Amino acid sequence: MDVQGIDQLAERLASLVPPGLAQARQDLHANFKDILAQGLRRLDLVTREEFDVQSQVLARTRERLESLEKRVASLEAGATPSGQ
């Protein structure tokens, strides 16, 4: 959830406060926003962009690993004495 999403959620929560308590509504909005932001930080989340980058790195790593496994298997097959 981005900053704008947190702000929107905090606003929705604050809107539940009766209109006669305008000052309390503003204070609650600020408090809700801070509490939501702190809670999300504790979850140790990553952005979608960071996730996509890491997914691409993992895919390339898997491809490289498969290529190296085939190469090792080929080298092992060539090094095996023909009598065995």
Side-chain angles (χ1 to χ4, degrees):
M1 181 176 283
D2 60 3
V3 175
Q4 184 180 15
I6 291 172
D7 193 42
Q8 289 174 349
L9 184 55
E11 182 63 38
R12 289 174 73 191
L13 290 170
S15 71
L16 299 174
V17 176
L21 302 173
Q23 183 59 41
R25 176 182 267 185
Q26 291 172 355
D27 291 342
L28 285 172
H29 177 264
N31 288 336
F32 286 147
K33 189 174 175 180
D34 288 341
I35 290 168
L36 290 168
Q38 288 175 13
L40 289 173
R41 276 193 298 272
R42 274 186 264 146
L43 292 176
D44 197 24
L45 302 174
V46 296
T47 65
R48 183 65 199 195
E49 182 180 338
E50 291 171 314
F51 177 82
D52 290 343
V53 167
Q54 289 304 312
S55 293
Q56 292 170 357
V57 168
L58 179 59
R60 286 193 305 267
T61 302
R62 283 183 180 155
E63 290 171 7
R64 181 73 175 142
L65 177 61
E66 289 171 4
S67 172
L68 290 171
E69 286 174 338
K70 288 177 185 175
R71 186 172 174 196
V72 167
S74 174
L75 290 171
E76 286 175 342
T80 303
S82 59
Q84 291 183 347

